[in-house]
């Protein structure tokens, strides 16, 4: 061992000990006759002192050559520090060094290795190994480790078995965004990387494993929106002989355990909200309920008053922004510009100031009188001093736009407190959604989700109305998990595939093994999967997952550090029996 | 919840309780007026009784339709059993059922779901979900889970951080057997799946993570020998500021912990053996030391006596098989045939019986007299009653052949006791091996392994002689782990790449990021990786890993259950800009 202890553990009780430390030079202060080094490792920083009187001359001279990020080993005596630093563990002591070895020198790093660095994101990703030396990134990775281990132990103590499912599986064209892996041994054939272990966990239930979990990498080759990764980590779970209620209870337990263990936060029973209610009240199936500004539908109050912009629309809906009646014209225009950006795509905003004197001032005073505006305020529970913002348009897109505005305003008003945790179950999702483009139904969750048993008849008569035993766990406006009770019977699964537009042959070719399995005594079962990356980020008080992944890829799916993907050798293509098509 | 308890937990103290159970029909015994069902789930088997007098008629009639592997739910009262079964937990009770629901019927399974099944391996793999219902397979998976969790907790308690490294990395032609993944977004470019996270764990050390581990899937597209899988699981570990001794101690600790926790076996300090000694004494770098039959080199005693077969050879070497002097001519011929099989490839065997009367009888009596044979016996420590078997030929291949024979005989003599655990460190591996075919050096471990510091000069003058700080952990004749101290300095790494025949450009293109990283203060570091599949199998007393993998692939890398790999749709190939080459 190249050290007797680490750089984070020596305190005043160690004074007088001889120690060997190794680590990185965080910084040096050189007064010529005396030199201090802040020596850093994973565990902390310890101050090293070299001085003319007490340190051998050659050692002091060598110390004077040290640069940032040099890796060194020192030996010396722990002494009490004159000016103590109460902010760090080791702040009461320093090491009077009499030996020094440079284990490895360092070039000047391309950015500073400090909590606040001067490195831009691309540069930090290219030199990720240096970025990881910074305490915030390092602590994020340690935090992730603790959470993953806490999850494993909790689930294991609750009777779950972690089973590894294969990574080289079968491509399903329906998945569309599969990464595929050409087989060398089987000419012209491909494996696929799993988008999730969905069918395997269901087969484990058929196999009687009863309670399964796995923390597992999944892959999706989609055009990356901000903060998505082509490979991501899922906490994947499945249980047999359960109903929805059992699953919600079990994973509410897990989430509560993590909040308590990791964050020291106690939360009560998680509220539950049907999908339709979430859409109506928040315009969103993953509402952030840490703050209000709920939607108020104003169709009855605002239509038929001669304001054409409202009259022709499916939905007129508003939110009351607390204390924002004082916004200047400029501030309001900024909000209007914000919703008009292509990312939101709204046409505009109607605003109503609820003045503290009880009067109302709006952008539509021409069409609505004080009584009208007062009725809006009453309906949306706006108080004197609030600002009502109203949008109109087709129900779905208008909800989405107003929901985006609600979140943006909450951000600006600092209502999204990262230290408050507001979990929420959203339930009763529709089973299917109609896709205009392909003119057919898509599974809202996935094709294995069971319809509510009491609505089976509707599958033939009015499929759109059918709800699923499907649920999402939402935390602070982010979906952190989702799942469902599954179909466990061949006929129903076949009917689902029919509805989704699979031919019998397609269904058989892609999921024949699952339908076969259902012939041999499949138990009722259901499950859930959590996104570990996002869960960890949220528990860490952040919303960007990249900072909690050791080696993330950038927005075009590229690893800037190792420079992947790359071309491969012709011999390799030959072995795989592949040609690259010329670019048209 | 579809049950109040499971099928493995009710005992005599539960008599009188009303319970609901759910599970699979293991078997039924029908006497017409009375019917028993063995109901099975992951936790055990509980006997259910339906009878004419106490069970509603409709329920009894329904019970009479039950077939094997039907999934049912029953409700009833726990009663004491008349003829108890002391072999199972629930053997003292049975459930008098008054309600029965068939949750899912089952077709007749293609093989029996019993500890000893009538299903062949291919059939069991095709219906793996049924195979998993069998207690031995299920218990293997649970055993694997327990071991993985014990490893995680042990390493975590020892300060290791589990860090997830990426699966979509960069192809290294030197790896040759990479699985590659075409990128859709980057025309003509490919990711590769990791054969191990080697470079990433080294970068984590450069990043100051200090102690890293990960239980992680790795991939190798090689022609599968028996009992290899294209995807396999590694316990991957790396530490900074350590020397070989620290690593051996740490992982001896882990292994001892597992043997204690999981098997209840205490083992002392692990013996250590340099590679050269292992080769000389056992002909093998992973010797099974649970039994003797060590090699004795007989060149001095057996050459120059006019027996041409010996005289011309590089090595004459024998083993003494205990108690085998009584082997018949037929038995000995069988051994000779065994070593002549192409898998072993020996030319023959010379044998010497050490008779109990003190005389010797050999297949080469014409060339060697009793004194000669006695000297062989003395050298190889053969006792009266033993059989000496001797081979001759080139050193390396002869050792390999005799080692195979030694293992085969141990198997036949049942000396390989699966309940005895004999760990062994093999150390001081050569750094390089000369490859005749390509006429250049290959890294024996991998190109990042550090030469012994005191032998650095030999790298130029006589590379073959250089030993590495590399080590394998061997358990019962199987390599379960291997690792090394790594190079942490750019110049030495560059020199290694030179020796291995990389041009500067190739080295830069493939490992430039690692060499760059070494410029910025890389600490001394080293690590080890264990094969989890084999470790689990060995601890489970087996040597085939397939039984400890939930969904294994067959010898041609095919998943028989889901039928992968397969062809993919033309549209998918188009999106990936790939063509399949026609078969020549």
């Amino acid at each position: 061992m190249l050290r007797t202890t680490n750089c984070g553990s020596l305190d005043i009780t160690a004074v007088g000990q001889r120690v060997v430390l190794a680590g990185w030079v965080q910084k040096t202060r050189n007064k010529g006759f005396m030199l201090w080094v802040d020596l850093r490792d994973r565990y902390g920083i310890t101050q090293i002192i070299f001085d003319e009187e007490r340190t051998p001359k050659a050692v002091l001279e060598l110390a004077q050559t040290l640069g940032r990020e040099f890796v060194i080993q020192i030996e010396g005596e722990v002494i009490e520090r004159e000016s103590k630093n109460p902010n760090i563990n080791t702040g009461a002591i320093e090491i009077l060094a009499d030996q020094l070895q440079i284990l490895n020198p360092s070039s000047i790093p391309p950015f500073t290795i400090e909590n606040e660095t001067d490195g831009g994101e691309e540069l930090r990703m290219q030199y990720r190994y240096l970025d990881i030396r910074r305490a915030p990134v390092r602590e994020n990775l340690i935090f992730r480790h603790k959470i993953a281990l806490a999850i494993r132990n909790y689930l294991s103590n609750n009777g779950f078995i972690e089973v590894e499912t294969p990574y080289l599986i079968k491509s399903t064209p329906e998945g569309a965004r599969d990464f595929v892996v050409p087989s060398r041994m089987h000419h012209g054939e491909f494996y696929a990387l799993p988008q999730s272990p969905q069918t395997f966990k269901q087969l484990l239930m058929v196999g009687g494993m009863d309670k399964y979990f796995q923390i597992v990498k999944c892959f999706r080759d989609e055009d990356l929106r901000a903060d998505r990764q082509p490979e991501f980590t899922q906490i994947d779970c499945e249980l047999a002989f359960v109903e929805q209620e059992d699953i919600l209870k079990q994973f509410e337990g897990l989430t509560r355990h993590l909040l308590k263990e990791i964050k020291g936060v106690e939360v009560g029973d998680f509220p539950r909200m049907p999908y339709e209610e979430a859409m109506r009240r928040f315009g969103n199936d993953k509402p952030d309920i840490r703050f209000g500004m709920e939607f108020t539908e104003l169709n009855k109050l605002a239509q038929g008053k001669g304001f054409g912009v409202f009259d022709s629309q499916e939905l007129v809906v508003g939110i009351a922004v607390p204390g924002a009646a004082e916004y200047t014209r400029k501030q309001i225009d900024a909000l209007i510009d914000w919703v008009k950006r292509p990312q939101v795509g709204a046409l505009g905003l109607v605003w109503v100031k609820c003045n503290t004197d009880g009067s109302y001032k709006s952008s539509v005073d021409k069409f609505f009188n004080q009584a009208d505006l007062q009725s809006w305020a009453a309906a949306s529970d706006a108080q004197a001093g609030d600002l009502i913002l109203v949008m109109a348009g087709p129900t779905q897109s208008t909800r989405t736009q107003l929901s985006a505005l609600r979140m943006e305003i909450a951000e600006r008003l600092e209502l999204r407190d990262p230290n408050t945790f507001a979990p929420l179950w959203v339930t009763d999702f529709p089973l299917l959604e109609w896709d205009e483009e392909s003119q057919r139904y898509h599974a809202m969750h996935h094709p294995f989700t069971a319809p509510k048993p009491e609505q089976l008849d509707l599958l033939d008569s009015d499929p759109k109305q059918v709800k699923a035993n499907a649920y999402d766990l939402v935390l602070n406006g982010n979906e952190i998990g989702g799942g469902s009770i599954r179909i466990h019977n061949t006929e129903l699964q076949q009917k689902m595939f029919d509805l989704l537009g699979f031919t019998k042959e397609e269904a058989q070719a892609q999921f024949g093994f699952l339908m076969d399995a259902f012939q041999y005594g499949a138990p009722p079962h259901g499950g859930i999967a959590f996104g570990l990356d996002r869960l960890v980020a949220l528990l860490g008080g952040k919303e960007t997952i990249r900072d909690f992944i050791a080696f993330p890829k950038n927005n075009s799916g590229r690893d800037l550090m190792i420079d992947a993907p790359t071309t491969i050798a012709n011999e390799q293509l030959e072995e795989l029996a592949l040609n690259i098509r010329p670019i048209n």
Side-chain angles (χ1 to χ4, degrees), chain A residues 287-452:
Chain A
D288 190 336
I289 57 170
R290 282 175 297 184
F291 55 90
M293 296 197 278
E294 291 193 21
F295 285 21
T296 304
E297 300 194 354
L298 297 169
N299 293 40
K300 281 189 190 147
L301 299 174
Q303 287 182 326
K305 302 275 177 170
F307 183 49
V309 173
F310 282 0
D311 287 353
S312 59
Q313 296 301 343
E314 200 180 357
L315 180 69
V316 182
V317 60
I319 57 173
V321 183
E326 292 176 359
Y327 275 19
T328 61
R329 180 70 219 193
K330 200 170 150 194
Q331 281 176 298
I332 291 177
D333 281 349
L335 288 179
I336 294 172
D337 288 344
W338 192 87
V339 300
K340 283 178 163 175
R341 298 179 324 145
Q343 294 92 322
V344 181
L347 295 173
L349 267 183
V350 164
W351 54 265
V352 183
K353 290 184 173 180
C354 307
N355 295 322
T356 45
D357 64 3
S359 70
Y360 297 91
K361 169 73 193 146
S362 82
S363 57
V364 287
D365 282 351
K366 221 187 286 182
F367 302 95
F368 301 96
N369 60 29
Q370 291 286 309
D372 291 332
L373 299 176
Q374 204 218 328
S375 75
W376 297 11
S380 55
D381 206 21
Q383 310 299 310
D386 291 358
L387 175 72
I388 303 173
L389 298 172
V390 183
M391 283 181 171
T395 301
Q396 203 176 312
S397 61
T398 307
R399 281 176 171 170
T400 303
Q401 291 156 3
L402 188 60
S403 169
L405 178 64
R406 175 177 175 269
M407 294 295 273
E408 173 65 18
I409 290 175
E411 202 70 66
R412 296 185 185 191
L413 295 178
E414 296 181 356
L415 299 174
R416 307 195 65 204
D417 173 9
N419 296 312
T420 299
F421 293 94
L424 168 74
W425 286 111
V426 176
T427 60
D428 300 333
F429 278 83
L431 182 68
L432 302 162
E433 51 187 352
W434 180 254
D435 184 59
E436 278 301 330
E437 197 181 325
S438 58
Q439 284 289 306
R440 59 183 188 79
Y441 286 109
H442 282 260
M444 185 128 178
H445 195 64
H446 55 52
F448 314 109
T449 298
K452 296 231 175 226

Side-chain angles (χ1 to χ4, degrees), chain A residues 473-540:
Chain A
L473 183 55
V474 173
L475 183 63
N476 295 358
N478 291 274
E479 181 204 323
I480 57 166
S484 63
I485 297 296
R486 325 297 184 186
I487 297 168
H488 64 277
N489 130 341
T490 321
E491 290 72 40
L492 186 55
Q493 188 64 68
Q494 184 62 61
K495 179 173 242 170
M496 267 300 280
F497 286 136
D498 289 349
L499 270 171
L500 297 172
F502 286 70
T503 65
K504 282 227 165 10
E505 292 67 33
E506 285 166 352
Q508 187 57 38
Q510 289 165 41
F511 299 109
F513 60 96
L514 187 66
M515 313 240 273
D516 286 353
F518 286 175
Q519 308 271 15
Y520 294 104
H525 62 287
I528 193 165
F530 292 85
L532 180 66
D533 306 293
R534 189 152 313 277
L535 177 64
V536 170
L538 285 172
L539 292 177

Side-chain angles (χ1 to χ4, degrees), chain A residues 2-63:
Chain A
L2 302 180
R3 62 192 174 200
T4 57
T5 185
N6 63 50
C7 295
S9 57
L10 294 169
D11 61 19
I12 195 73
T13 65
V15 168
Q17 284 180 21
R18 269 198 81 74
V19 295
V20 181
L21 290 181
W24 286 264
V25 173
Q26 173 79 27
K27 65 175 185 209
T28 56
R29 258 181 315 144
N30 189 354
K31 295 203 172 182
F33 60 95
M34 206 175 251
L35 183 141
W36 290 268
V37 170
D38 277 359
L39 189 65
R40 185 194 68 234
D41 66 10
R42 184 181 114 196
Y43 311 92
I45 287 182
T46 296
Q47 181 165 295
I48 316 298
I49 180 167
F50 301 84
D51 85 25
E52 217 168 39
E53 286 175 21
R54 297 176 290 178
T55 304
K57 186 154 184 273
V59 172
L60 178 59
E61 279 171 7
L62 185 60

Side-chain angles (χ1 to χ4, degrees), chain A residues 504-573:
Chain A
K504 282 227 165 10
E505 292 67 33
E506 285 166 352
Q508 187 57 38
Q510 289 165 41
F511 299 109
F513 60 96
L514 187 66
M515 313 240 273
D516 286 353
F518 286 175
Q519 308 271 15
Y520 294 104
H525 62 287
I528 193 165
F530 292 85
L532 180 66
D533 306 293
R534 189 152 313 277
L535 177 64
V536 170
L538 285 172
L539 292 177
K542 300 275 164 56
E543 293 203 345
T544 38
I545 62 175
R546 217 173 266 175
D547 292 340
F548 293 82
I549 296 173
F551 300 101
K553 294 189 172 56
N554 76 3
N555 276 345
S556 66
R558 188 166 278 287
D559 185 321
L560 295 177
M561 182 183 71
I562 61 173
D563 188 26
T566 53
T567 55
I568 58 175
N570 241 320
E571 298 76 46
Q572 228 168 333
L573 287 172

